[in-house]
């Protein structure tokens, strides 16, 4: 367990791909971000979360995911069962994403239920616009829908930080070619526009895997650099600090 910034705790980086399970918190309220698969020998992430909430007297208000890939949401049904009072939030694109639909085929337990219906059963709040807003103990919590790594990408903004999921920062390319490069650029622009419109100062950028943590980040210049295709060369940016 590691607190990487005030209000940001990584419970652990789970499984073979080491995806972080995050707890965001303020004033006794928390959000779970990412519900990864775990390896043999690791304690189940929802169990660890449960212990954490109990110990720290925190209420798990929201369940969030950065994008619909299995290494980020594989244990969601378990979290769902473990935290019945938690509101699970996702963009509508989640329900149409091929990876997520594939996952849900194993998840759903009602015979004959459509994938759409199953999706709505998994989420309490499905939003369709570019932005979702909530709060943790009075502190704003925003989600921007902006596909770059996948067509279900959600950027999570809280306490001056953005959790960027699997967005590759500093390069247009991501670890796959799921999103049209033109759409990537449009979504980077859209993200900057929304952050600017919210008049929100982002100075930290954290990857969903918890391996790249940017502090004292110049948000707009990193976004601009992320629009450049470096053709497979080393991206210019390096995290100032990385977790072990
Ligand atoms: Zn991932």
């Amino acid at each position: 367990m590691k607190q990487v910034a005030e209000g940001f705790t990584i419970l652990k980086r789970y499984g073979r791909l080491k995806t972080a399970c995050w707890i965001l918190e303020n004033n006794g309220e928390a959000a779970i971000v990412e519900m990864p698969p775990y390896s043999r020998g690791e304690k189940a992430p929802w169990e660890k979360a449960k212990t954490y909430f109990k110990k720290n007297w925190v209420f798990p208000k929201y369940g969030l995911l950065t994008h619909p890939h299995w290494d980020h949401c594989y244990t969601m049904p378990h979290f769902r069962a473990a935290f019945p009072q938690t509101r699970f939030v996702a963009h509508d694109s989640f329900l149409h994403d091929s990876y997520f639909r594939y996952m849900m085929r194993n998840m759903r337990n009602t015979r004959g239920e459509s994938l759409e219906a199953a999706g709505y059963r998994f989420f309490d709040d499905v939003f369709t616009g570019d932005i979702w807003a909530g709060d943790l103990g009075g502190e704003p919590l925003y989600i921007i829908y902006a596909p770059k790594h996948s067509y279900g990408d959600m950027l999570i903004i809280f306490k001056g930080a953005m959790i960027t999921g699997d967005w590759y920062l500093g390069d247009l390319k991501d670890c796959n070619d799921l999103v049209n490069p033109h759409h990537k650029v449009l979504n980077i622009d859209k993200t900057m526009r929304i952050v600017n419109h919210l008049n929100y100062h982002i100075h930290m950028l954290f990857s969903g895997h918890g391996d790249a943590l940017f502090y004292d980040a110049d948000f707009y210049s990193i976004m601009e650099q992320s629009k450049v295709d470096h053709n497979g060369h080393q991206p210019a940016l390096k995290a100032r600090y990385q977790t072990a």
Side-chain angles (χ1 to χ4, degrees):
M1 193 149 55
K2 185 168 196 164
Q3 188 177 19
V4 301
E6 204 271 304
F8 288 81
T9 299
I10 293 178
L11 284 183
K12 194 179 192 299
R13 297 178 59 217
Y14 285 97
R16 197 163 46 84
L17 295 178
K18 292 203 173 299
T19 310
C21 179
W22 297 80
I23 305 295
L24 277 44
E25 64 180 283
N26 183 58
N27 254 339
E29 291 187 336
I32 303 156
V33 180
E34 314 290 42
M35 301 162 209
Y38 60 109
S39 303
R40 211 175 299 186
E42 286 179 330
K43 194 179 169 186
W46 65 91
E47 295 287 357
K48 200 171 168 84
K50 217 169 198 174
T51 307
Y52 180 90
F53 293 137
K54 219 173 180 177
K55 215 169 156 180
N56 295 285
W57 293 76
V58 183
F59 174 68
K61 190 176 183 184
Y62 302 116
L64 311 176
L65 303 155
T66 60
H67 63 292
H69 289 171
W70 72 276
D71 60 322
H72 296 253
C73 47
Y74 190 78
T75 55
M76 187 199 166
H78 299 280
F79 276 90
R80 191 79 167 122
F83 303 107
Q85 288 174 292
T86 301
R87 286 188 72 75
F88 289 77
V89 184
H91 187 264
D92 171 67
S93 60
F94 246 70
L95 309 181
H96 305 285
D97 184 274
S98 57
Y99 283 76
F100 197 68
R101 291 172 85 94
Y102 172 77
M103 266 186 45
M104 285 204 303
R105 257 176 217 127
N106 305 323
M107 280 181 186
R108 72 196 158 142
N109 49 25
T110 311
R111 241 171 220 285
E113 185 182 33
S114 75
L115 285 174
E116 220 95 286
Y120 281 104
R121 193 160 53 72
F122 275 103
F123 296 105
D124 304 283
D125 193 347
V126 177
F127 68 104
T128 50
D130 284 336
I131 185 157
W132 174 92
D135 81 283
L136 292 176
E139 173 75 21
L141 174 68
Y142 297 108
I143 300 172
I144 297 176
Y145 171 62
K148 180 174 182 284
H149 170 77
S150 81
Y151 275 103
D153 283 359
M154 297 190 284
L155 303 167
I156 297 159
I157 299 172
F158 182 65
K159 287 199 174 190
M162 177 183 271
I163 297 186
T164 53
D166 278 1
W167 267 42
Y168 206 118
L169 297 175
D171 200 306
L172 187 66
K173 284 205 161 61
D174 287 275
C175 71
N176 59 55
D177 277 319
L178 293 173
V179 177
N180 176 307
H182 179 62
H183 292 165
K184 292 185 183 190
V185 173
L186 288 178
N187 282 309
I188 293 168
D189 277 334
K190 180 179 83 177
T191 301
M192 288 195 284
R193 226 171 29 242
I194 291 174
V195 170
N196 184 49
H197 182 76
L198 291 171
N199 204 8
Y200 196 99
H201 179 56
I202 292 175
H203 55 94
M204 297 180 285
L205 296 157
F206 302 145
S207 68
H209 285 261
D211 55 343
L213 307 170
F214 293 80
Y215 295 92
D216 305 316
D218 182 339
F219 173 72
Y220 292 101
S221 86
I222 290 177
M223 287 295 128
E224 284 297 338
Q225 288 177 67
S226 300
K227 285 198 261 178
V228 181
D229 187 346
H230 293 276
N231 259 325
H233 293 119
Q234 277 293 317
L237 291 165
K238 273 213 163 81
R240 206 196 81 200
Y241 169 77
Q242 306 223 341
T243 52

